Amino acid sequence: MEIALFITQFLVVLGCIVMGTRSSGVGLGLWGGAGVAILVFGFRLAPGSPPVDALLIVLAIVLASSVMQVAGGIDWMVSIAATLIKKNPKQITLVAPLVSFVFAAGAGTSNILYPLLPIIQDLSYRNGIRPSRPLSLSVVATGIALACSPVSAAMAAMITLTDVSPFNYELIDIVKVTFPAAVVGIVATSFFVQRLGKDIADDPEIQAKIAAGTIPAPDGVQSGGAKKTKRGTQLAPTPVQTTVTTSGRNAAIIFLLGVVAIVVFGLFKAIRPLDAAGDPVGMTPIIEIVMFVTGTVILLVSRPTIAAVPKTTVFRAGMVSAIALFGLAWLTDTFLGAHSEDIASTVGNAVQAAPWIFALGVFVVCVLTTSQSTATRTIVPIGLVSGIPLGLLSGMWAGAFAGIYLLPTNGSQIAAANFDTTGSTKLGTKLYDHSFFVPSLLLAGTTIAAGALFGVLWG
């Protein structure tokens, strides 16, 4: 009877996640809350703890990031990233994903990639490189970047789970595993991605477009956005416009200094204030305080239009993530709170014997929800209850984030395909024949492997 009840409740949790995925956006949060109601009123389980700390971190980070965006900080960061990519056009399949990764980690959002997509497409094609290669890996690289960012919603969720007794595993402990693992994963995956798809000279679809004058030959691209073909001049797709200003530069620098401050506080406990018990203040309130101060300094120095903050893409995406995190995290905490001993003795034994099961769980939830923070709050508690060493858990957690791009449903995937005038970047007609499928699997595999190694060595 107990087993049947456990399975029934587990199916309720899965059903709510699936229904939330079908609704997407805030629907994830609504279905999570509905699931809590079913477990509490229908099965008489005690309500779990809502993820208040994680939500407060997300809100503080989103607020500071949105103020920076209004001030023009993201545009400035994009201009710097574009300059770095342009300096190494021949190695763009490696350089573009690494640059995209670093800037997404610094900004705490993968949205920074959008303005870079037309630049990556144009530079790769100019240099005779199939655009789908750097475009696909750059998109996927921003997914795992959020496991390396001190200011991402996913990291906020992770910290509030691990930076508590008895784990006391802090931000710096996580990043020292996830960051090098991600870099190794991107570098290793780039060698495989460089060979995906036919070269431009051997691709009949691209050659047919060149012959028809739809697109120019690679050496026929002129600067300024116009492309001269055998049948006249054809305009390239209009790139996302960015305006670089002094206030934007200052806002970005202030924000990045805030990120650095968080890392420094994570490294050196001695410089943190003390709590009532005489212990250093935990990283959860430190991150919240630093982000509020960061946003306030940006407001004073760059003077953005504060009324525009709630209208930014970063603010809207952040609020959606917070709502989804609230509902689903509360749902899983309610279920896990009632069955932690059963999970530790059954699922825990399986995960300890084969830790890759944990990585697979995070990967699958990322695929279903396209939300790293949701996957974190859903699966990481199971890994913690199962007793996976925290270094190993962190490394596998980071690599599994590539799963959000396994299906061609994400906005950056659609944008990359639209910006690729050669048509080499495809969304496909099936769930597995798109340009991001293989890079997602490769990056997940290589990063998980590297993360597991680094996690065991110094986690």
Side-chain angles (χ1 to χ4, degrees), residues 155-173:
M155 184 64 78
M158 187 68 163
I159 291 171
T160 54
L161 291 170
T162 61
D163 189 13
V164 293
S165 181
F167 308 112
N168 299 318
Y169 199 72
E170 297 191 341
L171 170 68
I172 196 64
D173 299 312

Side-chain angles (χ1 to χ4, degrees), residues 38-116:
I38 295 172
L39 294 180
V40 171
F41 291 103
F43 293 94
R44 299 297 177 179
L45 300 186
S49 301
V52 176
D53 286 338
L55 286 173
L56 293 179
I57 293 178
V58 171
L59 291 176
I61 291 170
V62 167
L63 181 58
S65 302
S66 302
V67 173
M68 176 187 66
Q69 184 179 17
V70 173
I74 288 183
D75 286 348
W76 182 82
M77 293 173 70
V78 166
S79 70
I80 299 300
T83 300
L84 294 174
I85 293 172
K86 289 177 181 178
K87 286 183 177 180
N88 301 277
K90 292 295 183 181
Q91 300 298 322
I92 195 169
T93 305
L94 172 62
V95 174
L98 282 175
V99 170
S100 302
F101 161 78
V102 169
F103 278 81
T109 175
S110 57
N111 289 337
I112 197 170
L113 178 65
Y114 283 92
L116 295 177

Side-chain angles (χ1 to χ4, degrees), residues 39-383:
L39 294 180
V40 171
F41 291 103
F43 293 94
R44 299 297 177 179
L45 300 186
S49 301
V52 176
D53 286 338
L55 286 173
L56 293 179
I57 293 178
V58 171
L59 291 176
I61 291 170
V62 167
L63 181 58
S65 302
S66 302
V67 173
M68 176 187 66
Q69 184 179 17
V70 173
I74 288 183
D75 286 348
W76 182 82
M77 293 173 70
V78 166
S79 70
I80 299 300
T83 300
L84 294 174
I85 293 172
K86 289 177 181 178
K87 286 183 177 180
N88 301 277
K90 292 295 183 181
Q91 300 298 322
I92 195 169
T93 305
L94 172 62
V95 174
L98 282 175
V99 170
S100 302
F101 161 78
V102 169
F103 278 81
T109 175
S110 57
N111 289 337
I112 197 170
L113 178 65
Y114 283 92
L116 295 177
L117 292 174
I119 298 170
I120 296 171
Q121 189 277 336
D122 185 59
L123 284 176
S124 58
Y125 189 64
R126 283 174 185 262
N127 288 275
I129 298 169
R130 184 181 180 89
S132 63
R133 295 167 180 170
L135 284 172
S136 62
L137 186 53
S138 295
V139 168
V140 180
T142 61
I144 63 172
L146 302 191
C148 311
S149 173
V151 289
S152 70
M155 184 64 78
M158 187 68 163
I159 291 171
T160 54
L161 291 170
T162 61
D163 189 13
V164 293
S165 181
F167 308 112
N168 299 318
Y169 199 72
E170 297 191 341
L171 170 68
I172 196 64
D173 299 312
I174 298 170
V175 173
K176 74 181 182 182
V177 174
T178 61
F179 196 94
V183 171
V184 169
I186 292 170
V187 172
T189 303
S190 70
F191 287 107
F192 293 100
V193 172
Q194 286 174 357
R195 295 164 176 77
L196 287 180
K198 297 178 180 178
D199 291 335
I200 290 176
D202 301 323
D203 191 312
E205 293 184 12
I206 297 178
Q207 290 302 313
K209 290 183 177 182
I210 294 173
T214 305
I215 59 173
D219 57 358
V221 180
Q222 299 179 336
S223 60
K227 301 179 178 181
K228 185 166 288 186
T229 70
K230 295 178 181 179
R231 299 189 181 184
T233 300
Q234 189 147 349
L235 293 178
T238 303
V240 178
Q241 297 296 320
T242 58
T243 303
V244 179
T245 62
T246 301
S247 62
R249 178 201 63 192
N250 294 339
I253 292 174
I254 293 168
F255 184 84
L256 293 176
L257 286 176
V259 175
V260 171
I262 290 172
V263 174
V264 171
F265 278 117
L267 280 171
F268 305 104
K269 288 186 178 182
I271 66 175
R272 301 182 205 169
L274 302 180
D275 59 20
D279 299 319
V281 172
M283 283 305 296
T284 295
I286 289 291
I287 294 172
E288 294 164 359
I289 293 169
V290 169
M291 282 293 100
F292 271 115
V293 171
T294 298
T296 304
V297 174
I298 293 173
L299 184 63
L300 292 173
V301 173
S302 297
R303 299 188 178 279
T305 304
I306 200 68
V309 169
K311 303 175 185 177
T312 63
T313 56
V314 170
F315 190 90
R316 292 198 300 269
M319 291 302 103
V320 170
S321 296
I323 292 169
L325 173 64
F326 181 21
L328 288 182
W330 196 9
L331 170 63
T332 54
D333 193 80
T334 299
F335 176 74
L336 293 174
H339 300 288
S340 58
E341 293 183 3
D342 296 329
I343 292 172
S345 61
T346 54
V347 178
N349 291 336
V351 171
Q352 286 182 331
W356 59 267
I357 295 175
F358 165 79
L360 180 62
V362 178
F363 185 87
V364 169
V365 176
C366 281
V367 172
L368 294 176
T369 65
T370 66
S371 170
Q372 295 98 325
S373 56
T374 299
T376 300
R377 291 294 306 200
T378 303
I379 304 299
V380 168
I382 297 175

